[in-house]
Amino acid sequence: MSDSDSQDSVITTGLTVRLYDALSQAIVAGELAPGEKLSEPVIARRYGASRAPVREAIRRLQERGLVTYVANQGVRVAEPSAAEFLALLDVREATEGMAARLAAENMSDAEVTALEELVAGHRDEIERNPLGAYLQDEPEADFHRRIANGSGNPILAELLCEQFYPRLRLCRRLHSTVRGRGREAWREHVRITEAISHRDGELAEILMRRHIRAARTALQAALSAVEAIRPTKRRAGTSEERSAG
């Protein structure tokens, strides 16, 4: 490979990463809606890129479960089912429990102090809106990412940070429909942090598993609330149609 070819490869790889980051952020933020079609030419024009890095970025999004290929329709933003979300949380309970145990054993004192400060700083967010969500949209302010990265296990950290969390950020927004779940989640974070700071890996794992289980219960409640509304809307629509007729 010539020097110019090597340089072109580096540029293409860097652009692919930037495109992936921009598109994944747009998806988890809701700027690209579930089911929305992704057009390679449109994305290429928007970001001033050639088709090759766009195609590679979309491939990576597909690997992460953020987009899906639909026959005769092309690539669309993923619309995960409730069953898929719940299955993700089942696996998350085991993997994050392990991460919390390892973090208690392997985090440096400085990392533990930073985790304590992070959770303490989230108190203001909770007090401003006690019944609201607790989304931690910025990766560097995410409690779970800190623990995954502090586990000392790079394979586990990559699995959680690169595979699970982008998909779970879509899931988290459903939790905002459960009043008070944000406050409860923060309190659970406080207890997990205390266990890690005391280097009690067994307790940290137990508390993290309970935390994820509570998140799963909250998600089920949110989904049940949505399902409870839908029949009412259908009945109301049928009544209106009868009145109009």
Side-chain angles (χ1 to χ4, degrees), residues 2 14 16 99 130 180 194 219 241:
S2 67
T16 296
E194 289 172 350
L219 176 58
E241 288 168 4

Side-chain angles (χ1 to χ4, degrees), residues 8 67 88 153 165 186 234 236:
D8 288 344
V67 302
L88 276 172
N153 186 315
Y165 293 152
W186 176 76
R234 283 198 295 268

Side-chain angles (χ1 to χ4, degrees), residues 10-234:
V10 170
I11 293 172
T12 300
T13 300
L15 183 54
T16 296
V17 171
R18 290 196 295 275
L19 284 168
Y20 168 79
D21 289 342
L23 291 170
S24 60
Q25 177 60 34
I27 289 171
V28 298
E31 295 168 13
L32 292 172
E36 184 172 339
K37 185 174 181 179
L38 296 186
S39 166
E40 286 185 14
V42 170
I43 294 171
R45 286 196 299 271
R46 178 178 178 182
Y47 292 98
S50 65
R51 297 283 288 275
V54 172
R55 191 174 297 113
E56 176 62 17
I58 289 175
R59 186 188 66 78
R60 294 186 185 187
L61 290 171
Q62 189 171 0
E63 287 179 348
R64 301 296 189 265
L66 295 178
V67 302
T68 57
Y69 176 79
V70 181
N72 302 319
Q73 296 183 36
V75 177
R76 294 183 179 274
V77 176
E79 296 183 274
S81 67
E84 288 173 312
F85 275 148
L86 294 173
L88 276 172
L89 290 175
D90 286 339
V91 178
R92 186 186 182 193
E93 180 183 331
T95 51
E96 289 216 37
M98 182 191 302
R101 173 172 54 80
L102 292 174
E105 298 169 0
N106 296 321
M107 266 186 160
S108 67
D109 290 343
E111 287 175 320
V112 172
T113 298
L115 184 67
E116 291 171 334
E117 292 173 350
L118 176 74
V119 174
H122 288 163
R123 179 194 295 270
D124 292 339
E125 176 187 344
I126 296 299
E127 289 181 347
R128 282 196 300 271
N129 186 12
L131 298 179
Y134 176 30
L135 297 177
Q136 307 164 80
D137 278 336
E138 297 301 322
E140 63 272 14
D142 190 289
F143 173 78
H144 294 275
R145 282 181 177 270
R146 290 285 184 95
I147 290 177
N149 288 321
S151 70
N153 186 315
I155 295 175
L156 180 60
E158 182 181 8
L159 174 66
L160 288 169
C161 295
E162 300 300 325
Q163 299 286 343
F164 273 69
Y165 293 152
R167 296 171 73 179
L168 286 166
R169 281 182 67 187
L170 297 175
C171 177
R172 278 183 183 178
R173 296 183 180 280
L174 285 174
H175 295 179
S176 65
T177 63
V178 182
R179 289 170 62 84
R181 175 58 197 156
R183 178 188 285 273
E184 286 304 313
W186 176 76
R187 287 173 175 166
E188 291 159 10
H189 285 188
V190 171
R191 290 191 285 271
I192 293 166
T193 301
E194 289 172 350
I196 290 174
S197 67
H198 290 123
R199 304 299 183 179
D200 191 335
E202 183 177 358
L203 179 58
E205 179 168 6
I206 290 170
L207 292 174
M208 180 63 84
R209 281 178 169 270
R210 289 177 180 171
H211 173 59
I212 303 304
R213 213 170 297 141
R216 192 183 194 282
T217 300
L219 176 58
Q220 286 179 306
L223 294 170
S224 296
V226 170
E227 287 302 314
I229 292 172
R230 284 176 181 165
T232 302
K233 287 184 175 180
R234 283 198 295 268

